[in-house]
Amino acid sequence: MSTLTFTPIENVGQVHTLNNEQMLAPNKQPDKSILYAMDEDTYEELVASWAYSCLKGRYVECYRIGGAGDHGIDILACRSESRDDCDIYQCKHYNAPVTASTILPEICKILYFAFIGTIPVPKKYFVLAPKGLNANFMDLYIKPDKLKAKVLETWDNYADRITQKKKILLSDELRTFIDGIDFSKFSCVSPDKFLEDLRDNKHLYHQYFGVRLSDIVRVKMDVPKEVEQSESTYVSHLLDAYSESGEIDGLQSVANSRFSDHFTRARKTFWIAESLRKISEDNSPGETDEFADFMEDMELHVADVYEEDYSSGLERNKDVIAEAKKYIPKASYIISGQIGAGEKIGVCYHLSNNNKLIWVKSKS
């Protein structure tokens, strides 16, 4: 396989993704219309990204193939550490369903280069095309014995399309090799299955198809009756602020103190912001984390107020919260339409939970 280059798909740049304005633009076209309108480079990039993001659990590594002719391979997906234990994915972006005259030469390529040992015999060979396979060809393609017979019958018709260097006619040795191949390995991924996989992976889907805000489901998160371990840090910072008054002695005494309503609001908004974090986790495009960006923006927004001198931690808390309410979310966020007062206050408690906002500062 020396004439091929193997680039791990996670190292292949995504240059055809939508920008934030395009992702959030209204009046989206149906998914299939967007898929049909893609150019060939964008489609191949999308298929490569799909293989990496949606199939990675099935494979040890996925490679995008380059070099002096791809030998009928766009993506090599390895089932184990060995590249010989692999599946092959070939994408064809056409304005109509793909026909036999397009795919049969690709099958001939795979078989020939496997015959001479340039590439492994794949466990599976998948074709992907936006409009699928032509009905007549599909009827042939799903019948292994008939497909093998058709390849052998028509081989010499495609002999000059296998390699640019010479015409590859069907020799007796090559025929014997092909006769020993199980043609049930040749399969396809339907456009509907491809789109279903992409919709299940919003991080990738939004980058190429845009955001349909109506599809983003926010799950309400009820405030747990007891303080959970995940919120213990911001709660401890609040208890330090309350304790300065000398009126409370630990968490259990807060409920019967004048701080009860303040504490209840703090926990409510923390969990409101936690539900926003889940939206970000499920829907942020690519490798971005919009909630983390929101936290960073808020930390900078309240920094000057937070760093003022205060006579008590509770005063610092209340001024920071008042300033946080003035924050205007970035319009480019997918989550921006979900950010209200509760989220702005709650993200401050998430920052406190990360020890970024500590209400009672050390005197040292």
Side-chain angles (χ1 to χ4, degrees), residues 43 47 50 55 58 88-90 125-133 138 141 187-195 197:
Y43 181 67
V47 171
W50 164 82
L55 306 181
R58 193 183 308 172
I88 286 173
Y89 292 84
Q90 181 72 18
Y125 175 91
F126 297 96
V127 174
L128 294 93
K131 296 192 176 181
L133 303 187
M138 176 63 85
Y141 194 68
S187 186
C188 64
V189 178
S190 73
D192 288 337
K193 178 63 170 67
F194 180 60
L195 287 170
D197 286 349

Side-chain angles (χ1 to χ4, degrees), residues 74-199:
D74 285 324
I75 297 157
L76 186 83
C78 299
R79 298 178 176 216
S80 66
E81 296 295 335
S82 171
R83 288 181 184 167
D84 291 338
D85 183 19
C86 68
D87 293 342
I88 286 173
Y89 292 84
Q90 181 72 18
C91 51
K92 294 293 182 185
H93 193 285
Y94 285 72
N95 292 326
V98 175
T99 62
S101 62
T102 297
I103 300 302
L104 290 180
E106 298 297 330
I107 294 176
C108 292
K109 281 184 189 179
I110 290 292
L111 294 171
Y112 171 70
F113 286 111
F115 170 65
I116 65 173
T118 304
I119 64 172
V121 177
K123 299 296 188 293
K124 285 285 188 179
Y125 175 91
F126 297 96
V127 174
L128 294 93
K131 296 192 176 181
L133 303 187
N134 170 279
N136 289 335
F137 179 52
M138 176 63 85
D139 185 58
L140 170 70
Y141 194 68
I142 62 175
K143 296 173 180 174
D145 291 342
K146 289 188 175 181
L147 179 61
K148 180 187 290 188
K150 188 68 173 179
V151 167
L152 292 170
E153 175 191 337
T154 60
W155 182 280
D156 288 349
N157 295 342
Y158 306 116
D160 58 354
R161 294 171 60 181
I162 295 171
T163 174
Q164 295 178 350
K165 295 181 179 179
K166 61 181 179 179
K167 183 179 287 190
I168 306 297
L169 297 174
L170 185 65
S171 66
D172 290 342
E173 294 83 1
L174 181 53
R175 178 184 288 273
T176 299
F177 174 79
I178 295 171
D179 272 334
I181 297 291
D182 178 3
F183 268 57
S184 65
K185 68 174 70 271
F186 293 101
S187 186
C188 64
V189 178
S190 73
D192 288 337
K193 178 63 170 67
F194 180 60
L195 287 170
E196 180 183 334
D197 286 349
L198 289 170
R199 292 188 196 105

Side-chain angles (χ1 to χ4, degrees), residues 28-41:
K28 297 289 187 301
Q29 293 293 313
D31 289 348
K32 285 189 177 179
S33 297
I34 295 172
L35 195 65
Y36 300 160
M38 286 180 180
D39 59 56
E40 186 175 350
D41 286 344

Side-chain angles (χ1 to χ4, degrees), residues 131-309:
K131 296 192 176 181
L133 303 187
N134 170 279
N136 289 335
F137 179 52
M138 176 63 85
D139 185 58
L140 170 70
Y141 194 68
I142 62 175
K143 296 173 180 174
D145 291 342
K146 289 188 175 181
L147 179 61
K148 180 187 290 188
K150 188 68 173 179
V151 167
L152 292 170
E153 175 191 337
T154 60
W155 182 280
D156 288 349
N157 295 342
Y158 306 116
D160 58 354
R161 294 171 60 181
I162 295 171
T163 174
Q164 295 178 350
K165 295 181 179 179
K166 61 181 179 179
K167 183 179 287 190
I168 306 297
L169 297 174
L170 185 65
S171 66
D172 290 342
E173 294 83 1
L174 181 53
R175 178 184 288 273
T176 299
F177 174 79
I178 295 171
D179 272 334
I181 297 291
D182 178 3
F183 268 57
S184 65
K185 68 174 70 271
F186 293 101
S187 186
C188 64
V189 178
S190 73
D192 288 337
K193 178 63 170 67
F194 180 60
L195 287 170
E196 180 183 334
D197 286 349
L198 289 170
R199 292 188 196 105
D200 286 342
N201 188 312
K202 293 293 193 296
H203 306 286
L204 178 58
Y205 173 81
H206 287 154
Q207 292 182 89
Y208 290 90
F209 294 86
V211 179
R212 289 165 175 79
L213 295 176
S214 59
D215 292 341
I216 295 179
V217 178
R218 182 166 185 174
V219 178
K220 181 183 177 183
M221 303 187 76
D222 294 327
V223 180
K225 185 174 181 180
E226 303 295 333
V227 172
E228 297 196 346
Q229 182 62 35
S230 62
E231 52 179 332
S232 60
T233 302
Y234 86 86
V235 167
S236 71
H237 294 322
L238 281 173
L239 293 178
D240 287 343
Y242 300 155
S243 295
E244 287 185 315
S245 68
E247 300 174 33
I248 69 163
D249 181 22
L251 178 61
Q252 300 306 317
S253 62
V254 172
N256 296 318
S257 74
R258 63 186 174 95
F259 306 110
S260 176
D261 288 345
H262 184 274
F263 184 66
T264 298
R265 286 195 304 274
R267 293 197 65 217
K268 179 179 180 180
T269 57
F270 176 87
W271 288 100
I272 287 173
E274 177 64 12
S275 75
L276 182 69
R277 188 192 67 78
K278 287 294 295 178
I279 288 181
S280 175
E281 183 180 81
D282 294 340
N283 294 279
S284 292
E287 300 299 317
T288 62
D289 181 346
E290 290 190 348
F291 188 78
D293 291 344
F294 174 37
M295 287 181 68
E296 184 176 349
D297 278 353
M298 184 61 81
E299 183 180 3
L300 292 171
H301 180 81
V302 302
D304 288 341
V305 172
Y306 173 69
E307 291 170 357
E308 290 289 333
D309 290 330

